[in-house]
Amino acid sequence: MRDEMANRPEAANGFVKALRHIYAFAVEYGLAQRNPARDVPHFKAKGNGFHSWTMEEVRRFEQHHPVGSKPRLALALKLYTGQRRSDIVRLGPQHNKDGWITLTEAKNRDRKPVTLSIPVLPELKVVIDATPTGNLAFLVTAFSKPFTV
């Protein structure tokens, strides 16, 4: 079944990973005698991952999306905080105090929470101040609701 998905190697690897967990459960509860998926190798990853924007690409984006626009705010939050999308969509005015953004990262927050304090650089402050935002999230939809992760 993995080989049938060879044209989508990451999907095939995810499938194998899921089967490993299912068989591990089955072995633990006596529903299977062994885990045959444990011995199925993953496909090797191809490519070089995701393209990172160059400074020229960032400049072009900034020229196309003026200060005060939602896309420009999203870019500024990513550039000047370095946070994951799952944290960016949760950021709001309540996290911004005395020129610092303080937040607990969403990843692993229930096991090993990491709380960060990030300075609000002048470039970011200009964009935040010029952009309409929500009460609890800087980035909101056309319906004034926070974006989902």
Side-chain angles (χ1 to χ4, degrees):
M1 293 171 78
R2 181 208 66 172
D3 293 346
E4 292 172 6
M5 303 170 78
N7 62 331
R8 298 174 293 139
E10 292 306 319
N13 290 342
F15 177 72
V16 171
K17 183 176 177 182
L19 277 179
R20 287 177 182 169
H21 287 289
I22 290 169
Y23 272 105
F25 174 87
V27 169
E28 182 179 343
Y29 287 91
L31 302 171
Q33 292 183 7
R34 65 182 195 85
N35 183 344
R38 184 183 58 210
D39 300 324
V40 176
H42 281 18
F43 283 121
K44 299 281 188 246
K46 295 179 182 174
N48 297 322
F50 292 103
H51 166 71
S52 295
W53 280 13
T54 64
M55 288 306 297
E56 177 55 33
E57 289 169 319
V58 171
R59 283 188 200 97
R60 277 189 296 179
F61 186 92
E62 288 177 336
Q63 288 171 352
H64 189 267
H65 298 284
V67 170
S69 68
K70 200 177 306 182
R72 182 67 172 267
L73 175 59
L75 175 70
L77 289 169
K78 288 290 293 166
L79 278 178
Y80 297 114
T81 67
Q83 294 304 296
R84 297 176 183 90
R85 183 183 191 281
S86 60
D87 293 320
I88 293 295
V89 296
R90 296 182 318 117
L91 279 181
Q94 71 277 14
H95 297 104
N96 188 358
K97 185 175 179 185
D98 299 327
W100 288 82
I101 290 176
T102 303
L103 75 144
T104 300
E105 292 182 316
K107 186 173 182 177
N108 297 321
R109 71 177 169 261
D110 295 330
R111 291 187 300 149
K112 292 183 180 178
V114 174
T115 300
L116 300 173
S117 290
I118 304 165
V120 178
L121 297 176
E123 296 88 346
L124 177 57
K125 183 175 179 359
V126 166
V127 176
I128 290 173
D129 290 346
T131 309
T133 63
N135 292 331
L136 295 177
F138 291 129
L139 290 172
V140 292
T141 67
F143 303 104
S144 298
K145 303 285 184 192
F147 283 94
T148 61
V149 173

